[in-house]
Amino acid sequence: MTGAFRTTTGGRIDRARPLSFRFDGRAFTGCAGDTLASALLANGVHLAGRSFKYHRPRGILAAGAEEPNALVGIDRGPGRYAPNLRATQVEIHDGLVAESQNRTPSLRFDIAALADFAAPLIPAGFYYKTFMQPAGWWAKLYEPRIRAAAGLGRAPRGADPDRYTQRYAHCETLVVGAGPAGIAAARAAAARGDRVILCDEQAEPGGSLLAETRARIDGLCAQDWLAAALAELAAEPRVTILPRTTAFGYFAQNFVALAERVTDHLAVPDPNLPRERLWQVRAREVVLATGAIERPLVFPENDRPGIMLADSARTYLARYGVKPGCRALVLAAHDDAYGAALDLAAAGMEIALIVDPRPAADGELPRRAMAAGLPVRMSATVVGTRGRLRVHEAHVGTIGADGGVRGVDVVSCDTLLMSGGWTPSVHLHSQARGKLAFRADLQAFVPGATPQACRSVGACAGEFGLQAALGPATRVEDDPVREGGFAGALPHDRPRARAFVDFQNDVTAKDLTLALREGFRSIEHVKRYTTNGMATDQGKTSNINALAIVAAASGRAIPEVGLTSFRQPYTPVTFGAFAGTSRGELFDPVRTTPIHGWAVAQGAIFEDVGQWKRAHHFPRPGEDMHAAVRRECAAVRARAGIFDASTLGKIEVVGRDAAEFLERLYVNSWKKLEPGRCRYGILLNEAGFVIDDGVIGRLAPDRFHVTTTTGGAARVLSMMEDYVQTEWPDLQIWLTSTTEQWAVIAVQGPKAREILAPLTEGIDLSRDAFAHMAVREGRVAGVPARLFRVSFTGELGFEVNVPAGQGRAVWEAIWEQARRHDAVAYGTETMHVLRAEKGYIIVGQETDGTVVPDDLGLGWAIGKGKRDFVGKRSLSRPDIAAPGRKQLVGLLSADPGHVLDEGAQIVAMRDPPPGTPALGHVTSSYWSATLGRSIALALVADGRARHGQTLFAPMPGGAVPVAVTGPVFHDPEGRSLDG
Amino acid sequence: MLLIACPHCGPRDEAEFVCGGQTHIARPGPPETTSDAQWARYLFERDNPKGLHLERWLHRHGCGQWFNVARDTLTHEVKAVYGLLDTRPDVT
């Protein structure tokens, strides 16, 4: 037996396959095909959760995605804990472990339920009103306490060990929802030859057909017709049926995101399968067949366990073989509740009373209920209920002609079923930016015009009944018209009683009217103030009732009040599905140079520069970073060092107009640069600010080898392409990224020439034949090379460019020679120190997007007599020509052993009063082994006029006095450049 | 996610493209005859309409070409796609 409330026959569960599961530590048995909710109900368990604010005991309300109360955590082992899942959507399997949420210590006894007694003290807006004063208490007391109480469910601990995948798909027709309307649409599309994707959030497709008990379709019972229709669709090779797949987001141009749950329902998942799959579907047409959600009724104490939606109760019986209780009171504002009462009565449940707030109900189903002898009371409503952990009685009153309620009869019941009619699920239509129209007969919004190729069919379009869903070609028998529908709060005469509208966020009808009394009028404001519709269910069962209450209380019509926005996701989606494979090592590509393996073997310590791994320093045994950098710096200045500069951005600029192009782009003059010569180029944006720099060599009249910063390579190429295509399409040039084609080995230091000489063929390395800032082509270590004579250290220097594939071999050949001269391999930190000693800037360190060439002392680089280049006009804008700009200076701290903090502010006074603007800040700061003291570069207002002044860097331990100097600390005459 | 018909590659997903902002903005010049106000307009002032917007797009992860798109900023409807040097299309 799989529960005392399980029927002996009927439903789609497999009684021959019992499954054991645990809920809050207690063992239960369910059947294959059960959801956690149906299995709990089969065992007589309604109490499934505690409400968020008042911690009131709550039961299972619904049977689908709209469930607001029965939120559970599912524990599938370490790192595999999923909170806030709707028990109505969790399929059970053998060994499933579920727990309730928001209760301490147990669901039946929750200490925090004291909040319920304090409810009159915590109305809507309580937090806004209460925690205002004193202001200082917010950070220390209020916020920590509120944070401790906030949150629903607990986050899993540890990394998620599961795998998630993503798929892109294209189709002519995407059908969302595999109920009768969706199946009909999919069949029609398949008949046209479309590629069709039919997705449905439930474990099996069929929607309402899975619980249909009366109607016959083409002479078959609904389940037999469904099986045949699905088999026919499944046989179509161009049709993809995706069960357990929620269409949760609808974006522009029919781009729809689907979340497929692949393995959560399996006791022992195939390890080769992902847990979830995110589908990104682009469809020519989208058919929304998302059905409708039954509306709860708002009456006092309408939130006790045992109070359910009527059609959900009927679904549990018809689909899962579960009776929701023994004795039901039915509150029917819609004919469908009569159908539920008939089905449940036929299954042996006692119907204590059908209470209908309408003055009359003469539809087919009410007539059948009365004919079957079910007790019915019209013009009546429920004005209260009793029962702490389960409803045990309902108080029924009569609605008078004046709208007042009088006379109370107590009706005992263990189940209260309610129906306020149906709310079409227009979520995706609205996300698709479709308009909504209000239909008074349904008391609901239905889809209007949409700017996308998207249409709604069946119940979500407000077209109810099987015949409307299946179309005229299908013969439907015994599918009577059902009428009714109610939105808002039912009348009662108990001003202090609470009637819940939003079950998940504990918003009552009184909270909504209070918000109106306090002056909120816009429904968006009322929503945020009361939090109605802002829980994880986004108000699926509450929005329309709230809207109707606000409309009635403010004397407006519902369409006048308007509707709050429907946002993605329809139901919550895991972070894993969004992340897909983009995690761990696959989160971001790692770029390594051809020489990387050598550096790893040498024990280099690496740093990340963008996506690149760069050798930061090469420590020897026993050395820390500082010792290694001091040794590397000293060796380069005394002898030589070799450095892997392969990450430098490189762009080959070729064509008749190559020089003209660079002339227009860079600040420098290029036309007169002779082939075989190089120049230090500076690139501005149109606002005049430095965005990149690098050495550019001219190899031939129509060919330049452009280098960029490591981080700027892609940006500069994009900018070049942009100008070529959009501003100067008349220029004949071609741009090719060659960053990864060349390995670059910098050989720097007085011994550089001697190291390269034995390896170099076809290039005269002598000082006269190969001057500083020249480029030659030849062979190095037998490999074709472009050899630049450039220096970023101030020493005699070469940069050897060889094809990347030979980079490692050439590096090792150079290293062999370097060792003979006791030279070192050095990393980026030594490179930084050596260039700072020379006052060479690094774009992004000495610049921050607000720095023009003159600020850096680089005004000399701007080509004289150039009429225009990118950014030129900005250099004469008034604020850039104005005095007082921050300029690059050197700083020497009074204590030579004190290395300033990079980013430290610079001020004129030792103890400036608060509010004093800084003169500038430290951009680079190092220990200089060459000078035997600390050095720093800084941008300081009017810096060049301040040489010799003492300024201060205020630090937590007291202001540090610094002397302002020029930015070149070492060899200002440049004597070392020639070796 | 927009579906953008690249004039060279056909309809592709927005993820392949980069938007370059408002199009048909001529770079003023030469500098000596460009007033501060003219230059400031070029640098900083852009339309921000609700409705039709003519904008530049780059098919970065495709052909690498810039082109123009006429898009409705409210509905995201792409009303026309045209060459970078073409005149503005007759759309509203």
Side-chain angles (χ1 to χ4, degrees), chain A residues 836-860:
Chain A
E837 289 172 349
K838 286 291 294 177
Y840 296 148
I841 65 149
I842 286 186
V843 170
Q845 190 154 342
E846 271 65 54
T847 72
D848 59 4
T850 67
V851 176
V852 299
D854 183 63
D855 299 340
L856 300 164
L858 296 175
W860 56 265

mmCIF file of all heavy atoms in Angstrom, chain A residues 836-860:
data_model
loop_
_atom_site.group_PDB
_atom_site.id
_atom_site.type_symbol
_atom_site.label_atom_id
_atom_site.label_comp_id
_atom_site.label_asym_id
_atom_site.label_seq_id
_atom_site.Cartn_x
_atom_site.Cartn_y
_atom_site.Cartn_z
ATOM 1 N N ALA A 836 60.371 51.523 -15.102
ATOM 2 C CA ALA A 836 60.032 52.643 -14.210
ATOM 3 C C ALA A 836 61.289 53.440 -13.873
ATOM 4 O O ALA A 836 61.237 54.671 -13.759
ATOM 5 C CB ALA A 836 59.367 52.125 -12.942
ATOM 6 N N GLU A 837 62.435 52.754 -13.722
ATOM 7 C CA GLU A 837 63.687 53.483 -13.453
ATOM 8 C C GLU A 837 63.993 54.453 -14.591
ATOM 9 O O GLU A 837 64.634 55.480 -14.397
ATOM 10 C CB GLU A 837 64.847 52.486 -13.296
ATOM 11 C CG GLU A 837 64.766 51.677 -12.003
ATOM 12 C CD GLU A 837 65.803 50.557 -11.936
ATOM 13 O OE1 GLU A 837 66.453 50.257 -12.967
ATOM 14 O OE2 GLU A 837 65.955 49.976 -10.850
ATOM 15 N N LYS A 838 63.522 54.116 -15.784
ATOM 16 C CA LYS A 838 63.747 54.975 -16.954
ATOM 17 C C LYS A 838 62.569 55.930 -17.206
ATOM 18 O O LYS A 838 62.594 56.699 -18.156
ATOM 19 C CB LYS A 838 63.965 54.097 -18.198
ATOM 20 C CG LYS A 838 65.319 53.421 -18.254
ATOM 21 C CD LYS A 838 66.453 54.421 -18.493
ATOM 22 C CE LYS A 838 66.354 55.060 -19.870
ATOM 23 N NZ LYS A 838 67.401 56.089 -20.076
ATOM 24 N N GLY A 839 61.524 55.829 -16.394
ATOM 25 C CA GLY A 839 60.374 56.716 -16.579
ATOM 26 C C GLY A 839 59.519 56.356 -17.781
ATOM 27 O O GLY A 839 58.732 57.180 -18.270
ATOM 28 N N TYR A 840 59.655 55.125 -18.292
ATOM 29 C CA TYR A 840 58.795 54.683 -19.400
ATOM 30 C C TYR A 840 57.416 54.334 -18.834
ATOM 31 O O TYR A 840 57.307 53.623 -17.851
ATOM 32 C CB TYR A 840 59.378 53.441 -20.091
ATOM 33 C CG TYR A 840 60.714 53.633 -20.774
ATOM 34 C CD1 TYR A 840 61.631 52.587 -20.837
ATOM 35 C CD2 TYR A 840 61.061 54.848 -21.373
ATOM 36 C CE1 TYR A 840 62.866 52.742 -21.473
ATOM 37 C CE2 TYR A 840 62.281 55.000 -22.004
ATOM 38 C CZ TYR A 840 63.187 53.943 -22.053
ATOM 39 O OH TYR A 840 64.391 54.113 -22.672
ATOM 40 N N ILE A 841 56.392 54.804 -19.527
ATOM 41 C CA ILE A 841 55.044 54.573 -19.002
ATOM 42 C C ILE A 841 54.508 53.205 -19.421
ATOM 43 O O ILE A 841 54.995 52.594 -20.376
ATOM 44 C CB ILE A 841 54.052 55.654 -19.491
ATOM 45 C CG1 ILE A 841 53.881 55.570 -21.018
ATOM 46 C CG2 ILE A 841 54.475 57.034 -19.060
ATOM 47 C CD1 ILE A 841 52.515 55.984 -21.487
ATOM 48 N N ILE A 842 53.513 52.743 -18.677
ATOM 49 C CA ILE A 842 52.702 51.604 -19.119
ATOM 50 C C ILE A 842 51.267 52.118 -19.236
ATOM 51 O O ILE A 842 50.719 52.684 -18.279
ATOM 52 C CB ILE A 842 52.800 50.433 -18.125
ATOM 53 C CG1 ILE A 842 54.176 49.783 -18.290
ATOM 54 C CG2 ILE A 842 51.673 49.427 -18.353
ATOM 55 C CD1 ILE A 842 54.381 48.533 -17.491
ATOM 56 N N VAL A 843 50.700 51.941 -20.431
ATOM 57 C CA VAL A 843 49.319 52.375 -20.650
ATOM 58 C C VAL A 843 48.411 51.530 -19.758
ATOM 59 O O VAL A 843 48.516 50.311 -19.732
ATOM 60 C CB VAL A 843 48.926 52.235 -22.130
ATOM 61 C CG1 VAL A 843 47.430 52.458 -22.312
ATOM 62 C CG2 VAL A 843 49.703 53.223 -22.978
ATOM 63 N N GLY A 844 47.562 52.190 -19.012
ATOM 64 C CA GLY A 844 46.709 51.469 -18.067
ATOM 65 C C GLY A 844 47.253 51.540 -16.656
ATOM 66 O O GLY A 844 46.546 51.236 -15.707
ATOM 67 N N GLN A 845 48.541 51.907 -16.523
ATOM 68 C CA GLN A 845 49.090 52.083 -15.177
ATOM 69 C C GLN A 845 49.371 53.578 -14.962
ATOM 70 O O GLN A 845 48.871 54.178 -14.022
ATOM 71 C CB GLN A 845 50.367 51.253 -15.013
ATOM 72 C CG GLN A 845 50.837 51.196 -13.578
ATOM 73 C CD GLN A 845 51.648 49.950 -13.268
ATOM 74 O OE1 GLN A 845 51.610 48.961 -13.996
ATOM 75 N NE2 GLN A 845 52.405 49.993 -12.191
ATOM 76 N N GLU A 846 50.144 54.174 -15.868
ATOM 77 C CA GLU A 846 50.342 55.628 -15.792
ATOM 78 C C GLU A 846 49.176 56.369 -16.452
ATOM 79 O O GLU A 846 49.054 57.591 -16.309
ATOM 80 C CB GLU A 846 51.663 56.029 -16.458
ATOM 81 C CG GLU A 846 52.848 56.015 -15.513
ATOM 82 C CD GLU A 846 53.176 54.618 -14.993
ATOM 83 O OE1 GLU A 846 53.369 53.692 -15.807
ATOM 84 O OE2 GLU A 846 53.221 54.448 -13.770
ATOM 85 N N THR A 847 48.363 55.663 -17.197
ATOM 86 C CA THR A 847 47.202 56.316 -17.806
ATOM 87 C C THR A 847 45.923 55.647 -17.310
ATOM 88 O O THR A 847 45.933 54.473 -16.935
ATOM 89 C CB THR A 847 47.208 56.208 -19.345
ATOM 90 O OG1 THR A 847 46.916 54.848 -19.703
ATOM 91 C CG2 THR A 847 48.546 56.598 -19.926
ATOM 92 N N ASP A 848 44.844 56.401 -17.295
ATOM 93 C CA ASP A 848 43.562 55.840 -16.840
ATOM 94 C C ASP A 848 42.408 56.325 -17.705
ATOM 95 O O ASP A 848 41.267 56.386 -17.250
ATOM 96 C CB ASP A 848 43.313 56.225 -15.375
ATOM 97 C CG ASP A 848 43.283 57.723 -15.158
ATOM 98 O OD1 ASP A 848 43.386 58.462 -16.159
ATOM 99 O OD2 ASP A 848 43.150 58.146 -13.992
ATOM 100 N N GLY A 849 42.698 56.696 -18.959
ATOM 101 C CA GLY A 849 41.623 57.131 -19.828
ATOM 102 C C GLY A 849 41.322 58.606 -19.713
ATOM 103 O O GLY A 849 40.396 59.104 -20.360
ATOM 104 N N THR A 850 42.103 59.343 -18.891
ATOM 105 C CA THR A 850 41.890 60.797 -18.780
ATOM 106 C C THR A 850 43.202 61.536 -18.999
ATOM 107 O O THR A 850 43.337 62.687 -18.595
ATOM 108 C CB THR A 850 41.347 61.171 -17.386
ATOM 109 O OG1 THR A 850 42.376 60.903 -16.417
ATOM 110 C CG2 THR A 850 40.106 60.400 -17.034
ATOM 111 N N VAL A 851 44.177 60.868 -19.613
ATOM 112 C CA VAL A 851 45.528 61.400 -19.694
ATOM 113 C C VAL A 851 45.878 61.667 -21.155
ATOM 114 O O VAL A 851 45.722 60.785 -22.010
ATOM 115 C CB VAL A 851 46.526 60.392 -19.072
ATOM 116 C CG1 VAL A 851 47.954 60.882 -19.227
ATOM 117 C CG2 VAL A 851 46.190 60.159 -17.601
ATOM 118 N N VAL A 852 46.327 62.896 -21.446
ATOM 119 C CA VAL A 852 46.730 63.241 -22.820
ATOM 120 C C VAL A 852 48.257 63.164 -22.908
ATOM 121 O O VAL A 852 48.942 63.133 -21.879
ATOM 122 C CB VAL A 852 46.214 64.643 -23.220
ATOM 123 C CG1 VAL A 852 44.696 64.683 -23.159
ATOM 124 C CG2 VAL A 852 46.820 65.719 -22.343
ATOM 125 N N PRO A 853 48.821 63.110 -24.133
ATOM 126 C CA PRO A 853 50.271 62.898 -24.254
ATOM 127 C C PRO A 853 51.090 63.903 -23.455
ATOM 128 O O PRO A 853 52.072 63.541 -22.799
ATOM 129 C CB PRO A 853 50.514 63.039 -25.766
ATOM 130 C CG PRO A 853 49.233 62.631 -26.397
ATOM 131 C CD PRO A 853 48.159 63.089 -25.444
ATOM 132 N N ASP A 854 50.693 65.162 -23.467
ATOM 133 C CA ASP A 854 51.486 66.163 -22.760
ATOM 134 C C ASP A 854 51.526 65.895 -21.263
ATOM 135 O O ASP A 854 52.518 66.176 -20.601
ATOM 136 C CB ASP A 854 50.928 67.562 -23.053
ATOM 137 C CG ASP A 854 51.776 68.634 -22.384
ATOM 138 O OD1 ASP A 854 52.966 68.747 -22.748
ATOM 139 O OD2 ASP A 854 51.261 69.326 -21.486
ATOM 140 N N ASP A 855 50.453 65.341 -20.709
ATOM 141 C CA ASP A 855 50.442 65.011 -19.278
ATOM 142 C C ASP A 855 51.577 64.052 -18.944
ATOM 143 O O ASP A 855 52.095 64.037 -17.833
ATOM 144 C CB ASP A 855 49.107 64.353 -18.880
ATOM 145 C CG ASP A 855 47.913 65.263 -19.116
ATOM 146 O OD1 ASP A 855 48.110 66.498 -19.223
ATOM 147 O OD2 ASP A 855 46.782 64.737 -19.198
ATOM 148 N N LEU A 856 51.931 63.211 -19.911
ATOM 149 C CA LEU A 856 52.959 62.193 -19.697
ATOM 150 C C LEU A 856 54.339 62.686 -20.119
ATOM 151 O O LEU A 856 55.307 61.924 -20.097
ATOM 152 C CB LEU A 856 52.603 60.921 -20.500
ATOM 153 C CG LEU A 856 51.267 60.286 -20.127
ATOM 154 C CD1 LEU A 856 50.826 59.303 -21.193
ATOM 155 C CD2 LEU A 856 51.379 59.585 -18.776
ATOM 156 N N GLY A 857 54.410 63.942 -20.534
ATOM 157 C CA GLY A 857 55.680 64.446 -21.061
ATOM 158 C C GLY A 857 55.991 63.878 -22.431
ATOM 159 O O GLY A 857 57.148 63.802 -22.838
ATOM 160 N N LEU A 858 54.975 63.436 -23.140
ATOM 161 C CA LEU A 858 55.180 62.804 -24.449
ATOM 162 C C LEU A 858 54.710 63.710 -25.590
ATOM 163 O O LEU A 858 54.514 63.240 -26.713
ATOM 164 C CB LEU A 858 54.425 61.462 -24.515
ATOM 165 C CG LEU A 858 54.914 60.399 -23.531
ATOM 166 C CD1 LEU A 858 54.014 59.172 -23.594
ATOM 167 C CD2 LEU A 858 56.356 60.004 -23.833
ATOM 168 N N GLY A 859 54.550 64.986 -25.290
ATOM 169 C CA GLY A 859 54.121 65.918 -26.335
ATOM 170 C C GLY A 859 55.058 65.913 -27.532
ATOM 171 O O GLY A 859 54.634 66.157 -28.673
ATOM 172 N N TRP A 860 56.347 65.571 -27.300
ATOM 173 C CA TRP A 860 57.327 65.545 -28.391
ATOM 174 C C TRP A 860 56.977 64.534 -29.470
ATOM 175 O O TRP A 860 57.427 64.650 -30.619
ATOM 176 C CB TRP A 860 58.722 65.239 -27.839
ATOM 177 C CG TRP A 860 58.785 63.947 -27.040
ATOM 178 C CD1 TRP A 860 58.675 63.835 -25.682
ATOM 179 C CD2 TRP A 860 58.939 62.620 -27.547
ATOM 180 N NE1 TRP A 860 58.745 62.514 -25.288
ATOM 181 C CE2 TRP A 860 58.910 61.747 -26.429
ATOM 182 C CE3 TRP A 860 59.088 62.067 -28.828
ATOM 183 C CZ2 TRP A 860 59.042 60.363 -26.558
ATOM 184 C CZ3 TRP A 860 59.224 60.682 -28.938
ATOM 185 C CH2 TRP A 860 59.191 59.843 -27.819
#
